[in-house]
Amino acid sequence: MTTPATPAGPASPSALARAEALYEAGRYEQAGELAARHLTEDPEDADALTLLARCRHRAGNHPAALVAVERALRAEPDLIGAHLMRTQILLALKRYGDAEASAHRTVRLAPHFWGSHYALGTALAETAEAGRGRDRARTAAAYEAARTAVALAPEEDAAHFLVGLTAQRRGDHATARQAYETTLRLNPQSSEAHNNLSLLRLRRRWLRRGAWTQAAEGFVASAALDLGDTKARYNLEAMAWGTAAGARWVALLGFLASAVGSAPVRTGATGADAVVPFVIGAAVLVGAWAGWAVWMGRRVPPRLRRPLLLVARNCRPVLAMAAAVGLLGLYSAVTLALWSFDSGVVAGLGTPLFWAVIITYWVSRSALNRRMPKD
């Protein structure tokens, strides 16, 4: 959840301003230390307590962050920034009911501030998602809260992203796609928007030309913008695996073509009875792989090949699927090229490789699913 900027308050002491600058620079530990030092002199400074909570939250120490933000609210009960932070921390602690209540209070305190509605929409959306998407009422309410946030602050990319996310979960993919595109116009560096828009494009890969390529480009952009984005990396792994798995049909067709085409030669046929099936089998084998290569060359432009290869080489399900397909394809080519092989050797190798492709498909698919990010 993005923490919305709160309306400006009184000028902060210089130490607190330095702590805020450190926080914005991503130096959360140092910012927290400076805020804590400031609090030894002024323990009831609600702004400093809120900043300390933000630092602890970023560090993953959510219980300590909650203690700090609740101290801030005891010192200043109507501090909007503290309520927003409290909602975010409660969501991290998976205390969804308390997070919703905190967000509702924020809306009551600042009904015309976009961040209040954004926080409520986020709390409702995460609560609904925690219920495995079965809470349609909360998802609908989250969507309406997100739309209110957009109406109040149409320049805020986070609000548009929340509209996209909640619309996507409701099955309204056209609205979601438009919202993600708006998010990226406002903030081209939004890795989450790149990722989610690509997921929507991937759904249309059989209906819209170039959708698969656009989806891959989005996943690459998302992974490049956020190196810790495991979702984008997994999606790239899934696309690489899908490419290798799709080639299994070509490999299986080539195997059958080589087996049928070389069978008359191996059984002693001569003349047209041997040549015609052999030529047809070779043509089917070469044509199938050539057609697949041309199709993939258009589908995966040069700019995407390196990222996909880098992802694939570190993903065992992709490597296993590619190896099984490659071995069967190589076997089929060798079967036709060296047709004088002993038929016993051919039968002994072909059948295991054929079944290896089928078994590897299911095993590697299961292994890939286990790599899916939990969140």
Side-chain angles (χ1 to χ4, degrees):
M1 171 181 169
T2 300
T3 304
T6 51
S12 301
S14 58
L16 193 57
R18 290 199 302 274
E20 186 72 43
L22 287 169
Y23 179 88
E24 293 299 328
R27 297 163 66 179
Y28 307 121
E29 184 176 350
Q30 291 175 286
E33 290 174 356
L34 197 55
R37 195 179 310 154
H38 171 82
L39 286 165
T40 60
E41 301 174 0
D42 187 359
E44 299 302 314
D45 187 331
D47 289 325
L49 286 165
T50 302
L51 177 56
L52 181 61
R54 289 159 60 196
C55 294
R56 288 175 173 173
H57 174 66
R58 284 286 190 174
N61 190 352
H62 307 305
L66 184 61
V67 169
V69 80
E70 289 185 339
R71 281 180 58 195
L73 288 170
R74 284 195 295 271
E76 192 173 334
D78 293 341
L79 184 62
I80 300 302
H83 282 287
L84 292 173
M85 192 68 245
R86 184 172 185 269
T87 301
Q88 189 172 351
I89 294 167
L90 289 169
L91 287 173
L93 292 170
K94 302 188 186 304
R95 291 171 52 179
Y96 299 111
D98 292 337
E100 277 190 43
S102 179
H104 277 294
R105 177 168 172 75
T106 308
V107 170
R108 289 195 297 272
L109 288 170
H112 302 297
F113 176 46
W114 78 273
S116 303
H117 297 277
Y118 172 81
L120 177 59
T122 301
L124 290 168
E126 291 204 22
T127 303
E129 185 68 7
R132 298 182 181 178
R134 292 176 291 187
D135 196 337
R136 295 183 179 180
R138 273 195 173 87
T139 301
Y143 174 70
E144 293 303 326
R147 289 186 61 188
T148 302
V150 166
L152 290 169
E155 76 287 353
E156 293 290 345
D157 63 278
H160 288 281
F161 177 81
L162 186 58
V163 168
L165 181 66
T166 51
Q168 184 176 358
R169 290 176 180 174
R170 296 180 72 198
D172 186 355
H173 297 144
T175 298
R177 187 161 45 251
Q178 184 179 13
Y180 292 141
E181 289 171 350
T182 302
T183 301
L184 290 171
R185 281 199 298 272
L186 294 169
N187 178 17
Q189 306 302 309
S190 175
S191 63
E192 289 182 321
H194 278 292
N195 183 74
N196 288 14
L197 181 59
S198 293
L199 287 173
L200 292 178
R201 285 170 171 165
L202 202 57
R203 292 175 58 90
R204 297 166 59 87
R205 62 188 181 277
W206 303 116
L207 303 175
R208 183 178 176 183
R209 185 178 180 182
W212 191 95
T213 303
Q214 290 179 330
E217 288 174 337
F219 291 139
V220 169
S222 179
L225 288 167
D226 184 358
L227 297 179
D229 188 348
T230 56
K231 292 180 182 179
R233 183 176 181 83
Y234 171 79
N235 289 330
L236 281 173
E237 290 176 345
M239 295 188 85
W241 179 87
T243 299
R248 76 189 186 280
W249 297 112
V250 183
L252 293 174
L253 175 63
F255 171 77
L256 293 176
S258 66
V260 173
S262 62
V265 178
R266 298 180 190 285
T267 55
T270 58
D273 291 338
V275 173
V276 172
F278 186 87
V279 170
I280 293 175
V284 170
L285 175 66
V286 173
W289 280 109
W292 181 83
V294 170
W295 180 55
M296 291 308 301
R298 293 179 177 177
R299 197 183 198 194
V300 187
R303 62 183 178 277
L304 292 180
R305 292 171 193 168
R306 178 174 173 78
L308 284 174
L309 286 173
L310 289 174
V311 165
R313 74 180 187 182
N314 293 315
C315 182
R316 291 183 178 180
V318 177
L319 293 176
M321 192 70 247
V325 168
L327 286 173
L328 185 61
L330 179 63
Y331 170 82
S332 301
V334 169
T335 299
L336 283 177
L338 304 177
W339 50 267
S340 60
F341 270 7
D342 177 74
S343 60
V345 175
V346 173
L349 289 176
T351 302
L353 289 175
F354 176 88
W355 285 106
V357 169
I358 297 175
I359 294 171
T360 301
Y361 171 81
W362 293 107
V363 173
S364 64
R365 180 177 180 176
S366 177
L368 182 71
N369 289 338
R370 289 196 296 271
R371 295 171 67 93
M372 183 183 298
K374 300 300 181 185
D375 183 10

